[in-house]
């Protein structure tokens, strides 16, 4: 029996809306992986990304569900509430991306395959991915702190969830930078790449600190104030990069304002530069929203380690 005199297993892991959402995540992920393996297929880099996303999320959800059902998470040196909502938010973003990419690159309206079997499998995979997205989104909604509610974990707040989105967008920026963006041609664009890397590292450090329950380890200021200071610094850095990058990529003096018609789709440096510019403005908006929200943020960690 557990210390509270209840059953050894955590029945809330099954008999609760949150438990039902996690079971739906496992079912959708397992179905998507099985269908792809059985006959739908997922060739090429886009298919490999989708398959990796589904496998990663399934493994992560299975581990979290097991730890929650057996109460073994109490033995881990982590803040469980912060860890689970962070994983759910990350999985939601991965599933959203896979739910867009897979049908876009693998599902066709007509039926070019023998007996339409492959197409039907791919439609089923897309449906499972959408259901998984909904299931992870429901978990985020169930765990998210409500206005006027006592906040027990930073990652359950809008500011914490925005940190996950910011890191995810930064990863897409890194992919665009690596896809022939030619950012090393100018010192100014190298500076922008350094800004993206520094802000991602700082955001990841804040998230990791929160998940490890070390929010009281900062002695010079409260953690929520540290979050505001870091977010302001990141917003200012992204503001500078959002100005510098377009100038040195699209001004005729340094780059090209128009796309070269001879460039193939997916292999043109201009496309990568546009993607980086657009995502820079998106992350700038996310950091600005984060800064506005976190001004009045007050929370107490659900578990603080000595």
């Amino acid at each position: 029996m557990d210390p509270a005199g209840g059953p050894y297993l955590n029945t809330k892991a099954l008999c609760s809306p949150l438990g039902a959402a996690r079971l739906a995540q496992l079912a959708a992920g397992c179905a998507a992986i099985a269908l792809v393996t059985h006959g739908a297929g997922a060739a090429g880099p886009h298919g490999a990304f989708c398959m990796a996303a589904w496998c990663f999320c399934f493994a992560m959800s299975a581990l979290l569900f097991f730890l929650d059902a057996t109460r073994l998470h109490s033995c881990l040196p982590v803040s469980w509430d912060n860890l689970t909502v962070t994983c759910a938010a990350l999985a939601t973003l991965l599933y959203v991306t896979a739910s867009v990419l897979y049908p876009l690159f693998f599902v066709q309206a007509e039926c070019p395959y023998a007996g339409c079997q492959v197409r039907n499998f791919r439609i089923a995979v897309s449906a499972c991915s959408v259901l998984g997205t909904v299931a992870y989104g429901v978990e985020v909604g169930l765990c998210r702190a409500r206005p006027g509610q006592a906040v027990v974990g930073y990652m359950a707040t809008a500011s914490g969830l925005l940190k996950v989105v910011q890191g995810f967008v930064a990863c897409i920026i890194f992919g665009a930078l690596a896809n022939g963006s030619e950012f090393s041609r100018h010192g100014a664009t190298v500076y922008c790449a350094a800004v993206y890397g520094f802000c991602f590292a700082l955001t990841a450090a804040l998230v990791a600190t929160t998940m490890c329950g070390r929010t009281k380890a900062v002695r010079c200021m409260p953690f929520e104030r540290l979050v505001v200071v870091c977010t302001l610094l990141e917003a200012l850095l992204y503001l500078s990069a959002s100005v510098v990058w377009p100038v040195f990529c699209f001004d005729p003096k340094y780059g090209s304002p128009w796309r070269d018609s001879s460039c193939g789709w997916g292999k043109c440096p201009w496309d990568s530069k546009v993607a980086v510019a657009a995502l820079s403005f998106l992350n700038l908006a996310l950091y600005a929203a984060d800064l506005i929200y976190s001004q009045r943020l007050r929370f107490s960690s659900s578990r603080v380690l000595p």
Side-chain angles (χ1 to χ4, degrees):
M1 304 292 283
D2 68 359
Y8 288 112
L9 295 179
N10 181 14
T11 55
K12 289 185 178 180
L14 289 171
C15 305
S16 68
L18 183 58
R22 288 175 177 167
L23 288 175
Q25 296 163 10
L26 293 173
C30 184
I33 295 169
L35 286 168
V36 170
T37 305
H38 180 67
H46 298 98
F49 169 83
C50 293
M51 191 62 173
W54 293 323
C55 291
F56 171 78
C57 293
F58 177 79
M60 180 176 63
S61 297
L63 178 60
L64 292 178
F65 179 80
F66 176 80
L67 292 174
D68 192 20
T70 57
R71 305 179 193 271
L72 288 177
H73 64 81
S74 59
C75 302
L76 302 176
V78 297
S79 174
W80 181 249
D81 294 333
N82 285 312
L83 176 63
T84 53
V85 72
T86 301
C87 292
L90 175 60
T92 302
L93 294 171
L94 288 172
Y95 258 80
V96 167
T97 306
S99 298
V100 173
L101 290 180
Y102 191 83
L104 182 64
F105 286 93
F106 294 95
V107 178
Q108 301 180 22
E110 62 272 11
C111 189
Y113 312 111
C116 293
Q117 186 177 24
V118 174
R119 187 200 64 175
N120 294 339
F121 275 135
R122 292 179 175 180
I123 292 175
V125 170
S126 302
C128 290
S129 187
V130 172
L131 291 176
T133 303
V134 174
Y136 282 108
V138 167
E139 180 176 351
V140 173
L142 291 172
C143 297
R144 181 180 177 274
R146 302 297 191 277
Q149 183 183 36
V151 183
V152 297
Y154 169 69
M155 296 308 299
T157 66
S159 179
L161 295 174
L162 282 171
K163 285 284 185 286
V164 180
V165 182
Q166 293 158 7
F168 187 78
V169 173
C171 289
I172 302 177
I173 290 177
F174 296 147
L177 287 173
N179 189 31
S181 65
E182 301 177 344
F183 71 91
S184 60
R185 291 183 59 184
H186 305 289
T189 50
V190 172
Y191 161 79
C192 294
V195 166
Y196 304 140
F198 173 79
C199 292
F200 173 78
L202 187 56
T203 298
L206 290 174
V207 172
T209 299
T210 305
M211 290 194 298
C212 292
R214 296 288 183 178
T215 56
K216 298 295 184 182
V218 183
R219 298 180 180 179
C220 60
M221 66 180 72
F223 182 76
E224 53 265 36
R225 185 179 178 187
L226 174 65
V227 169
V228 173
V229 171
C230 293
T231 304
L232 175 60
L233 174 61
E234 291 166 326
L236 292 175
L237 288 172
Y238 256 91
L239 177 61
S240 65
S242 298
V243 173
V244 171
W245 181 269
V247 170
F248 280 84
C249 289
F250 306 120
D251 189 282
K253 183 178 179 180
Y254 306 103
S256 173
W258 309 108
R259 189 180 191 277
D260 189 350
S261 58
S262 62
C263 273
W265 289 105
K267 300 180 180 180
C268 188
W270 196 86
D271 296 340
S272 297
K273 293 175 183 178
V274 171
V276 172
L279 293 170
S280 296
F281 282 108
L282 174 59
N283 240 1
L284 174 61
L286 292 173
Y287 279 111
D290 188 0
L291 183 63
I292 294 171
Y293 178 85
S294 59
Q295 276 295 303
R296 297 184 179 276
L297 179 64
R298 300 291 184 274
F299 75 97
S300 58
S301 178
S302 58
R303 182 181 178 188
V304 179
L305 299 180

